[in-house]
Amino acid sequence: MTQQASATDPAPARRPELVPNPRAEAARIAAVRRYDILDTPPDGAFDRVAAMAARLFDVPVATVTIVDTDRIWFKAAHGLEGVKEIGRDPGLCGSAILRDDALVIPDTLRDPVAAKNPLVAGEMGVRFYAAAPIITPDGHRLGTVNVLDTKPRSITEDDTATLADLAAIVLDEMELRLSALRALRHEQERREVERAAREQVEKDKAAIAAFASTLQRTLLPPALPVVPGLELACHYHTASVHDVGGDFYDVFPVDGGRWAFFLGDVCGKGPEAATVTALARHTLRVAAQIDPDPVTVLRTLNTVLLTDVTAGSRFCTALFGLLSPQEGGGFTVTVATGGHPPAYHVRPDDSGAVWVKAVRPKGGMLVGAFPQASFAQATFLLAPGEGLFLYTDGLTEARTTQGAMLGEDGLTGFLHQRTGPLTATALVEDAVTLLASVPDGVGDDVALLALSVSDPETAPDAGVAATAHTTAAPEHFGQE
């Protein structure tokens, strides 16, 4: 394939110095960067090309090089140990990348540029050099495949074609590597986009949950008041931290030392329900200051919900009660209902069990559904040691281990079986414990409000209030 140059061969014509065009060189360097191959670890595919070139041309040294801005970097080097890169000027490869065809220098000492190269002038003493440029599909020359010998020689046109084929094989390997890099980068970018999207979703969820929790708390009293002779306790749980619930309750003073209380449930959830919740709570409070009669208050709320455009077509259920303190302890309670589940009047009996009576005035209709809705009320005495338990239907619609809803019968049975002090706090805590035992969790919002009359002989000036607002998931149902 190769033959040694004769000492009597005529000296070759001086090769003109090729100076790269600055704009073309900038584009070439950009192509080098595109392949991201500089300073990468050794690669078997490129090493095999260098070894093949050395065997085909029967030379001691063959290399695959990439030409950087100011250096020649060796991607593969057969027979050239310990050399990773050399300066670009004066260069062999640096000149080869400026040509469209292979560069062949039979005798480097007779070439004015090659003679100054460190591989020629130095200890290695290279006398023969041939290189084919590695040319990209868009015409940029990244580097060269080179064969070197310490003896002058010449090669045939077929040899130079073989060298060009080896350079093309190197480019094919670089293209495969670039495709793999692009696929990897695309996958990394996709994963990064997904990660960022997940993080944004989590941030959005947290923001929505925080907003919903904050909004929910504005719709509920921050704390229950202290009412002389009465213990109060409440609990609120939203089925989803992302939704603003429609349940509401409050206890507040009215005229003549009397106190009003209410508990209700707006149809639906979310911003629209929150609007109605805020409207209902505000209306009930204002109406009670004008006339605290429970039926009158519910009629006022019915009118407002039907005429206020912010309420839309939403309605609610509600219980509204009026507490009038009695001499010697206890309260006269008047409760009006607007389509709401019954409250429960509870007291211990002589046998140690709990006496339970549903407070269910007949005829109470949904509030905000019908212009001529009628509302009913009942009056009874809440004596010392007795309690009143109010709730929304999220409690009675919770399903037991048998899959059936707890219902009013189940709640009545639960209250009958209670043991221990019959106080407002105990009633609420027991109901929370009951809900925590529901196997599939609570599917709806739950509001609880309990009142109990203190015994004046043991606590003549007692007034206790407990407030709990919970927005955790059902499996974490509990008082905060």
Side-chain angles (χ1 to χ4, degrees):
M1 177 175 289
T2 61
Q3 58 187 37
Q4 188 170 330
S6 169
T8 60
D9 289 343
R14 178 168 179 159
R15 183 165 51 84
E17 181 69 10
L18 298 174
V19 178
N21 177 280
R23 182 174 298 177
E25 176 65 7
R28 189 194 71 80
I29 291 298
V32 171
R33 300 289 186 268
R34 181 176 73 215
Y35 285 86
D36 197 17
I37 196 170
L38 289 169
D39 300 309
T40 56
D43 189 307
F46 297 98
D47 292 340
R48 283 189 291 273
V49 170
M52 185 185 300
R55 288 196 302 271
L56 289 173
F57 288 88
D58 190 24
V59 294
V61 177
T63 63
V64 176
T65 63
I66 304 297
V67 180
D68 200 358
T69 54
D70 57 357
R71 61 174 177 157
I72 310 295
W73 179 75
F74 292 84
K75 176 59 181 172
H78 177 85
L80 190 63
E81 302 298 332
V83 179
K84 298 296 183 182
E85 61 181 58
I86 59 174
R88 179 170 172 175
D89 295 318
L92 300 172
C93 300
S95 298
I97 63 165
L98 301 177
R99 301 170 58 98
D100 293 327
D101 56 354
L103 170 63
V104 180
I105 305 177
D107 188 348
T108 56
L109 293 181
R110 303 177 70 183
D111 185 280
V113 175
K116 300 177 182 179
N117 189 276
L119 297 178
V120 176
E123 182 179 348
M124 187 173 179
V126 171
R127 293 292 302 278
F128 164 77
Y129 175 81
I134 303 168
I135 305 175
T136 67
D138 51 349
H140 298 296
R141 299 164 185 80
L142 306 178
T144 55
V145 174
N146 316 278
V147 289
L148 303 88
D149 200 350
T150 55
K151 302 174 183 178
R153 65 170 64 194
S154 59
I155 59 175
T156 67
E157 290 184 2
D158 288 342
D159 295 335
T160 58
T162 298
L163 198 60
D165 288 341
L166 292 175
I169 291 174
V170 169
L171 180 67
D172 289 343
E173 289 294 334
M174 292 180 67
E175 289 288 346
L176 288 173
R177 182 179 180 278
L178 179 59
S179 296
L181 282 174
R182 284 173 173 168
L184 178 61
R185 287 168 182 163
H186 177 74
E187 179 64 18
Q188 290 173 337
E189 289 172 358
R190 184 186 65 80
R191 291 181 179 178
E192 178 61 24
V193 169
E194 290 180 351
R195 183 196 64 77
R198 286 194 301 270
E199 287 184 355
Q200 188 59 49
V201 167
E202 293 303 317
K203 289 180 181 178
D204 291 344
K205 284 182 178 179
I208 291 171
F211 173 77
S213 177
T214 301
L215 179 57
Q216 187 70 70
R217 290 176 187 274
T218 65
L219 302 176
L220 299 170
L224 294 179
V226 175
V227 179
L230 198 67
E231 179 175 319
L232 303 174
C234 63
H235 185 89
Y236 190 89
H237 170 81
T238 54
S240 170
V241 295
H242 302 298
D243 288 326
V244 180
D247 295 358
F248 58 92
Y249 59 86
D250 206 349
V251 180
F252 55 95
V254 289
D255 59 358
R258 294 184 296 178
W259 293 80
F261 63 91
F262 60 78
L263 181 140
D265 184 0
V266 172
C267 171
K269 297 182 179 67
E272 291 102 353
T275 300
V276 180
T277 299
L279 178 61
R281 182 166 177 256
H282 174 73
T283 300
L284 289 171
R285 270 184 161 263
V286 172
Q289 301 301 327
I290 299 172
D291 185 348
D293 174 69
V295 168
T296 301
V297 170
L298 290 185
R299 286 174 181 165
T300 301
L301 177 60
N302 188 68
T303 300
V304 169
L305 292 183
L306 287 169
T307 57
D308 194 302
V309 293
T310 61
S313 59
R314 292 184 178 270
F315 54 86
C316 70
T317 65
L319 281 173
F320 186 91
L322 186 63
L323 296 165
S324 300
Q326 300 298 304
E327 293 185 8
F331 293 81
T332 297
V333 183
T334 301
V335 175
T337 181
H340 198 81
Y344 284 94
H345 182 189
V346 295
R347 69 167 181 256
D349 62 17
D350 295 338
S351 66
V354 177
W355 175 88
V356 179
K357 181 180 179 180
V359 181
R360 194 194 308 267
K362 295 181 180 180
M365 301 174 67
L366 291 172
V367 185
F370 308 102
Q372 302 301 324
S374 62
F375 305 105
Q377 67 182 28
T379 301
F380 57 93
L381 177 65
L382 193 64
E386 298 179 356
L388 184 64
F389 182 67
L390 294 79
Y391 58 93
T392 55
D393 59 11
L395 173 61
T396 50
E397 290 177 358
R399 296 192 175 271
T400 65
T401 53
Q402 289 76 32
M405 287 195 301
L406 179 67
E408 293 179 14
D409 291 341
L411 180 56
T412 301
F414 171 76
L415 293 172
H416 269 303
Q417 297 170 7
R418 283 197 70 262
T419 59
L422 205 152
T423 64
T425 300
L427 285 169
V428 168
E429 288 179 347
D430 288 349
V432 170
T433 301
L434 172 63
L435 284 168
S437 68
V438 173
D440 296 326
V442 182
D444 197 1
D445 303 328
V446 177
L448 307 174
L449 177 64
L451 306 80
S452 62
V453 180
S454 308
D455 188 341
E457 294 183 0
T458 58
D461 298 320
V464 181
T467 304
H469 304 308
T470 302
T471 56
E475 60 267 24
H476 300 298
F477 195 103
Q479 286 180 283
E480 295 177 334

